[in-house]
Amino acid sequence: MKDQLFSEITTEKFRDPLVTAKGEERAVVALTNPETLWFNTGTLCNIECVNCYIASSPSNDRLVYITADEVSDYLDQLDDRNWGVREIAFTGGEPFMNPEMIEITRRSLARGYEVLILTNAMRPMMRKSMQSGLASLVAEYGDKLTLRISVDHWSAKHHDVERGAGAFEKTLTGMRWLRDAGIRMTVAGRTVWGESDAQSRAGYAALYARERFAILAKDTGQTVLFPEMDESVDVPEITTACWDILKITPTSVMCANSRMVVKRRGAEKPAVLACTLLPYEPEFELGKTLAEAETSVRLNHPHCAKFCVLGGASCSA
């Protein structure tokens, strides 16, 4: 069956945007139901994780801080294009490294959007200015604001392997503050520990119960478990025939319902990308405006196959 679906293992995969290495027509995804507009707030981060897909670190500024005015410009474009987006989401790097993060969030909430911020809940978020800003935002907008916390594993042993000794406890300290401040939390974990899905979720459930976190471990939207994004691992190419055989539709793939805005170091203006997972790939840069970003996307990258189609993953809330 798989021979009907996918190309044979070859070093020539993901070279041609139109056809696979086996000569089959590559799958394409149209922007059909935009629900989330993502912003990368900058690739600087307070820590350097072992397997960070975007290589964020205290020294990586390939994507620089986006400003509140630049975000507002794209919110205006959303109105002009009538995309119907419900959610504005922010990732990094560590978003709370961006000095305008509170103002950026406030402007997005004030437009009526739900806001999702991906964070490690460590020292940048725990600065007094950020705590005060978050408290003000939740007082005004309540559950319209969600923070998704990176908790790679429910145990300190595995989490700290990825993020450094003591990182787990520092993240829990931030989560306890968010809990007490009444700020809605979800969690992003990883599936690389040799556990079944049920085992992983049982571990998170025990953690949540122990810490009195109002997060559901069995809810895949509240506890999101992501596959590892390793470009060196062989994955199949996705052809147009895959949709029917896998019994999924192109509309279920992330690039059918979202786009991401980034600001590259040295660039005059931000750019719009097809995907949150591919910030450095020129092929997936669609233009400077949302109008330009309404084009279709060819699934010409290993992440498209493993993470989005076969893994069925989504980055939105």
Side-chain angles (χ1 to χ4, degrees):
M1 177 66 75
K2 288 186 177 180
D3 288 340
Q4 300 173 14
L5 289 174
F6 306 124
S7 303
E8 297 174 350
I9 296 175
T10 170
T11 57
E12 296 302 311
K13 288 181 177 180
F14 303 105
R15 295 290 184 89
D16 189 320
L18 300 180
V19 296
T20 68
K22 198 175 178 181
E24 299 167 306
E25 184 179 356
R26 187 175 303 285
V28 61
V29 174
L31 182 69
T32 54
N33 182 32
E35 296 180 344
T36 303
L37 181 61
W38 285 87
F39 291 89
N40 188 293
T41 60
T43 41
L44 286 173
C45 187
N46 56 302
I47 58 175
E48 187 170 4
C49 298
V50 173
N51 291 309
C52 180
Y53 77 98
I54 200 174
S56 296
S57 75
S59 60
N60 179 8
D61 64 348
R62 290 178 66 181
L63 304 182
V64 298
Y65 292 146
I66 200 161
T67 68
D69 285 345
E70 287 167 338
V71 170
S72 290
D73 177 66
Y74 283 96
L75 299 181
D76 290 341
Q77 291 182 48
L78 282 177
D79 291 340
D80 293 340
R81 303 306 299 174
N82 195 29
W83 274 19
V85 159
R86 64 170 180 82
E87 176 186 61
I88 305 298
F90 300 96
T91 184
E94 169 51 50
F96 290 104
M97 297 272 290
N98 187 318
E100 297 190 37
M101 194 62 229
I102 297 299
E103 178 62 18
I104 286 170
T105 305
R106 187 180 304 280
R107 293 189 188 188
S108 302
L109 289 165
R111 296 287 191 106
Y113 295 108
E114 298 173 29
V115 170
L116 174 68
I117 304 174
L118 278 55
T119 177
N120 57 38
M122 295 173 73
R123 185 174 180 180
M125 189 199 77
M126 293 294 281
R127 287 177 292 167
K128 293 298 184 183
S129 60
M130 295 299 173
Q131 288 182 323
S132 174
L134 285 170
S136 173
L137 290 173
V138 76
E140 187 169 359
Y141 297 102
D143 283 352
K144 297 284 282 187
L145 173 64
T146 300
L147 271 60
R148 180 183 288 170
I149 317 301
S150 297
V151 184
D152 289 328
H153 191 259
W154 47 266
S155 73
K157 175 183 176 181
H158 290 320
H159 180 91
D160 287 0
V161 166
E162 291 286 334
R163 296 179 179 259
F168 185 76
E169 185 57 35
K170 291 175 183 176
T171 289
L172 285 187
T173 297
M175 293 178 73
R176 291 167 188 144
W177 180 84
L178 292 168
R179 175 199 65 198
D180 295 343
I183 298 174
R184 185 173 185 267
M185 290 185 287
T186 60
V187 157
R190 298 192 182 196
T191 60
V192 296
W193 313 109
E195 299 174 334
S196 69
D197 183 78
Q199 288 171 326
S200 293
R201 294 187 185 280
Y204 282 105
L207 171 65
Y208 302 157
R210 185 168 65 249
E211 296 290 342
R212 297 182 292 109
F213 295 150
I215 306 170
L216 296 177
K218 291 184 178 180
D219 187 322
T220 58
Q222 293 191 38
T223 302
V224 190
L225 302 180
F226 291 113
E228 197 65 36
M229 290 177 283
D230 185 350
E231 294 183 33
S232 68
V233 175
D234 183 73
V235 294
E237 295 185 277
I238 305 300
T239 72
T240 55
C242 291
W243 306 122
D244 288 338
I245 301 175
L246 293 172
K247 300 188 186 313
I248 59 175
T249 66
T251 58
S252 67
V253 181
M254 191 161 54
C255 52
N257 55 52
S258 67
R259 291 290 186 264
M260 183 170 79
V261 179
V262 305
K263 180 75 176 291
R264 303 194 188 283
R265 182 180 59 213
E268 183 180 349
K269 293 183 177 180
V272 187
L273 311 184
C275 177
T276 62
L277 308 179
L278 300 169
Y280 304 130
E281 303 289 340
E283 180 180 347
F284 292 88
E285 184 168 321
L286 306 177
K288 305 299 183 186
T289 67
L290 296 186
E292 293 172 293
E294 290 172 354
T295 186
S296 298
V297 178
R298 296 274 175 178
L299 302 186
N300 191 31
H301 194 279
H303 290 349
C304 303
K306 181 178 181 181
F307 191 83
C308 289
V309 176
L310 301 177
S314 173
C315 282
S316 62

